[in-house]
Amino acid sequence: MSTSSPQKSASSPPSRTEGPDFASWSQVVLAKFAQDSYAKMQEQQDEIMHLQQDLKTAINAYRDLLRR
């Protein structure tokens, strides 16, 4: 039984918790990534707002059913 911690080999893919090495990215690539990320966050925020409204509508419909 080995008590040493596993070593990461040079050919191992980075883990998801480490994330990308942004320091090595060029300014152009970073700017494109930031623009794409911002657009994605806006889309996600819109989706969240729609889902919240759908949830409110469903809760109100359920309450109306309970009152009958």
Side-chain angles (χ1 to χ4, degrees), residues 1 13 20-22 26-28 31 33-34 37-38 45 47-48 52 58 61 66:
M1 180 160 123
D21 180 17
F22 293 118
S26 72
Q27 181 69 31
V28 172
F33 178 78
S37 296
Y38 181 76
Q45 184 60 35
E47 180 73 13
I48 288 168
Q52 287 173 332
L66 289 177

Side-chain angles (χ1 to χ4, degrees), residues 52-66:
Q52 287 173 332
Q53 188 58 50
D54 289 348
L55 178 60
K56 288 177 186 176
T57 301
I59 288 171
N60 287 333
Y62 178 71
R63 287 179 180 154
D64 288 344
L65 286 173
L66 289 177

Side-chain angles (χ1 to χ4, degrees), residues 36-48:
D36 293 347
S37 296
Y38 181 76
K40 180 70 173 179
M41 287 189 300
Q42 293 298 333
E43 290 171 9
Q44 290 173 335
Q45 184 60 35
D46 289 345
E47 180 73 13
I48 288 168

